[in-house]
């Protein structure tokens, strides 16, 4: 039975890698293999575990999954409302001037993608940035450079905030880093984005004409936008001051949004926005965490730290970041957290950076890259790979900058 369960887990992870080949959404395959493995685990438990032991294992895994799932649900519902009301488009129009040089646009694109993905999920940030760039009538060759920067910046932007990247949230919830420590990652990550923007701007010399569009935002929607930012700041402050779990703060913020809309605009079907969030993303995380939880129960995660036994943690973290460009960073991070690896704070920070940013080295390594590839015809695996050298340099600059800052803590 142990062998059969390991085969199911392996198939679940392989299905993630070959998603573009078999054309089956990874949310479907990971959930299938993850839930099937746990069913067999109860039917014929390895080592003849008691029912009480089986229930304890399942409850422990479901608690971790529920915490992450509810947090993402609340954050993504906020973003769905703001996007549906045109608030995000309005902010973009205010940030962009009527005419701008291509080099300045490159820097501004990287900055906007970096900041926006720090507060919203990577999927929304990527879609918004692509929509703006597609309306600028850039040539396919130039557009490709901007899209490459967007994918990297979106991945880098979420590393410093628990609201911006799932792996950052996972490492924080595991108690390896604190929020004040995570905030230090903003500077190295932003520096990596700036380095990549400068390299990608070589050869650009023209100007871009931007058509301005006006969007009328209701007073109630402005209140919701302010509530969203207040929820982010309140989550950080409440955790630092009282140790309140982020999921509680975001659920409270979501409930406040429901109440505000109820009293300011009673005709607004506010609960409908829950149906607009990316549930395939949530189901994918559910499936992956079920798979990783099964590995933990089978004792297989004890073998994962072997990489850290043969090389220093810093070198291992750097390679794990490279590996996240081929394999999803969620199972990689979950496996490391559950394997009991001991590292110093600077090393945990470098791991947080590497698994958050490393996925951008290949277009299939992150949700942002996959979405961009589906939206931009010129973006393929091969065309993105041509910029691998630039991406590796930017990734490396940020990685070693994290180590430098972490050593000062």
């Amino acid at each position: 039975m142990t062998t059969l369960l390991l085969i199911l887990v392996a198939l679940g992870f392989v299905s993630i890698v070959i998603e573009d080949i078999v054309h089956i959404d990874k949310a479907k395959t990971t959930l299938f293999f993850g839930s099937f493995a746990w069913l067999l685990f109860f039917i014929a438990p390895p080592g003849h575990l008691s029912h009480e032991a089986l229930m304890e294992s399942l409850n422990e895994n479901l608690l971790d999954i529920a915490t992450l799932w509810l947090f993402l649900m609340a954050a993504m519902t906020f973003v769905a409302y703001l996007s549906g009301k045109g608030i995000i488009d309005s902010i973009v129009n205010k940030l962009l001037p009527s005419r701008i040089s291509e080099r300045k646009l490159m820097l501004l694109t990287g900055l906007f993608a970096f900041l926006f993905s720090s507060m919203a999920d990577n999927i929304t940030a990527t879609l918004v940035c692509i929509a703006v760039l597609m309306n600028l009538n850039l040539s396919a060759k130039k557009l490709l450079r901007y899209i490459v920067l967007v994918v990297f910046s979106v991945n880098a932007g979420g590393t410093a905030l628990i609201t911006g990247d799932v792996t950052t949230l996972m490492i924080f919830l595991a108690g390896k880093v604190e929020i004040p420590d995570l905030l230090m990652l903003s500077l190295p990550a932003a520096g990596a984005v700036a380095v990549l923007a400068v390299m990608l701007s070589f050869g650009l010399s023209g100007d871009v004409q931007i058509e301005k569009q006006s969007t009328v935002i209701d007073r109630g929607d402005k209140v919701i936008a302010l509530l969203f930012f207040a929820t982010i700041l309140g989550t950080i402050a409440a955790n630092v001051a009282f140790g309140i779990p982020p999921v509680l703060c975001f659920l409270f913020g979501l409930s406040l949004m429901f109440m505000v809309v109820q009293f300011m605009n009673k005709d607004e079907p506010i609960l409908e926005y829950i149906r607009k969030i990316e549930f395939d993303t949530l189901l994918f995380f559910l499936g992956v965490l079920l798979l990783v939880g099964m590995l933990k129960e089978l004792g297989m995660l004890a073998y994962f730290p072997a990489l850290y036994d043969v090389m220093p943690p810093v070198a291992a973290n750097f390679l794990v970041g490279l590996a996240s460009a081929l394999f999803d960073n969620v199972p990689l991070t979950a496996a490391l957290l559950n394997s009991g690896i001991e590292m110093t704070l600077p090393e945990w920070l470098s791991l947080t950076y590497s698994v958050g940013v490393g996925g951008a080295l290949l277009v299939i390594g992150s949700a942002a890259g996959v979405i961009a590839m589906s939206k931009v015809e010129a973006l393929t695996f091969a065309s993105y790979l041509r910029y691998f050298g630039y991406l590796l340099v930017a990734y490396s600059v940020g990685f070693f900058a994290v180590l430098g800052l972490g050593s000062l803590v």
Side-chain angles (χ1 to χ4, degrees), residues 9 12-14 16-17 26 30 68 165-168 170-171 174 176 284-285 287-293 295 300-308 316-341 343 348 351-362 364-366 395:
V9 172
F13 287 132
V14 169
I16 299 173
V17 180
K26 58 186 177 182
T30 53
L68 178 61
D165 192 277
V166 176
T167 53
T168 299
M170 292 169 65
I171 294 174
K176 305 301 182 182
F284 168 61
F285 292 141
V288 165
L289 293 176
L290 285 174
L291 291 171
V292 174
L295 283 179
M300 293 299 108
L301 292 177
Y303 298 100
F304 199 87
L307 183 63
Y308 290 78
N317 289 342
F318 187 87
L319 292 180
V320 167
L322 298 182
S324 69
L326 289 172
F327 305 98
D328 195 273
N329 59 354
V330 174
L332 280 176
T333 305
L336 282 172
L337 290 173
N338 289 321
S339 63
I341 293 175
M343 292 192 292
W348 278 115
L351 178 65
T352 305
Y353 171 88
S354 64
V355 295
V357 181
L361 295 175
L362 295 177
I364 61 172
S366 66
Y395 165 79

Side-chain angles (χ1 to χ4, degrees), residues 7-27:
I7 291 174
L8 288 176
V9 172
L11 289 174
F13 287 132
V14 169
S15 70
I16 299 173
V17 180
I18 64 174
E19 177 187 18
D20 294 332
I21 299 176
V22 299
H23 302 294
I24 302 178
D25 194 299
K26 58 186 177 182

Side-chain angles (χ1 to χ4, degrees), residues 46-284:
H48 304 288
L49 294 174
S50 66
H51 182 73
E52 290 74 14
L54 293 173
M55 288 302 302
E56 183 179 353
S57 299
L58 178 61
N59 290 336
E60 181 182 352
N61 282 275
L62 289 181
L63 177 61
D64 294 337
I65 293 171
T67 300
L68 178 61
W69 221 78
L70 291 173
F71 179 90
L72 291 175
M73 182 274 295
M76 293 171 73
T77 302
F78 258 118
V79 173
Y81 182 90
L82 297 177
S83 179
K85 291 298 183 178
I87 296 175
I88 295 176
D89 291 337
S90 177
I91 295 175
V92 171
N93 285 327
K94 291 180 180 179
L95 289 176
L96 293 177
S98 300
R99 188 177 183 86
I100 188 173
S101 68
E102 292 176 342
R103 288 188 174 184
K104 289 183 179 179
L105 179 62
M106 182 71 74
L107 292 172
L108 187 59
T109 298
L111 177 63
F112 175 76
F114 179 85
L115 293 177
F116 187 48
S117 65
S118 298
M119 298 173 289
D121 62 283
N122 289 359
I123 295 175
T124 302
T126 303
L127 290 174
V128 170
C129 292
I130 290 177
V132 173
L133 292 172
M134 294 287 283
N135 291 329
L136 300 182
N137 296 321
L138 296 168
S139 65
K141 186 176 180 180
K142 291 181 178 179
L143 177 63
L144 184 59
R145 294 191 180 195
Y146 288 97
I147 298 299
V148 169
L149 179 63
V150 166
V151 173
F152 186 88
S153 302
V154 164
N155 280 275
T159 57
L161 290 177
I162 57 176
T163 57
D165 192 277
V166 176
T167 53
T168 299
L169 175 62
M170 292 169 65
I171 294 174
F172 167 77
L173 292 176
K176 305 301 182 182
V177 294
E178 300 294 336
I179 286 181
D181 302 323
L182 285 174
L183 294 178
M184 291 194 308
L185 292 178
S186 296
L187 290 178
V193 170
V195 169
L196 181 61
V198 170
M199 290 189 293
L200 291 175
S201 65
F202 291 156
L204 299 179
S205 58
D207 292 334
V208 177
Q209 189 72 31
I210 301 173
E211 296 182 4
K212 307 294 287 185
Q213 298 179 351
S214 59
T215 303
V216 179
I217 301 177
D218 295 337
R219 182 171 63 91
D221 294 336
K222 293 180 180 179
V223 173
I224 298 300
L226 292 175
L227 178 60
F228 176 57
F229 290 110
T231 300
I232 295 174
L233 296 177
T235 298
I236 297 173
N239 182 266
V240 173
F242 306 106
I244 299 176
V247 62
L248 285 179
C249 294
F250 252 80
L251 287 175
F252 179 67
L254 183 66
S255 67
L256 284 179
M257 182 182 79
F258 292 159
M259 298 303 293
V260 169
V261 173
Q262 173 66 31
F263 287 105
M264 298 191 69
N265 186 3
K266 295 183 179 181
D267 296 328
E268 179 68 47
I270 183 63
L271 294 178
E272 290 295 320
Y273 288 93
I274 297 179
R275 299 184 176 92
K276 296 182 180 181
I277 65 179
E278 300 286 342
F279 272 96
D280 55 342
T281 301
L282 295 176
L283 291 174
F284 168 61

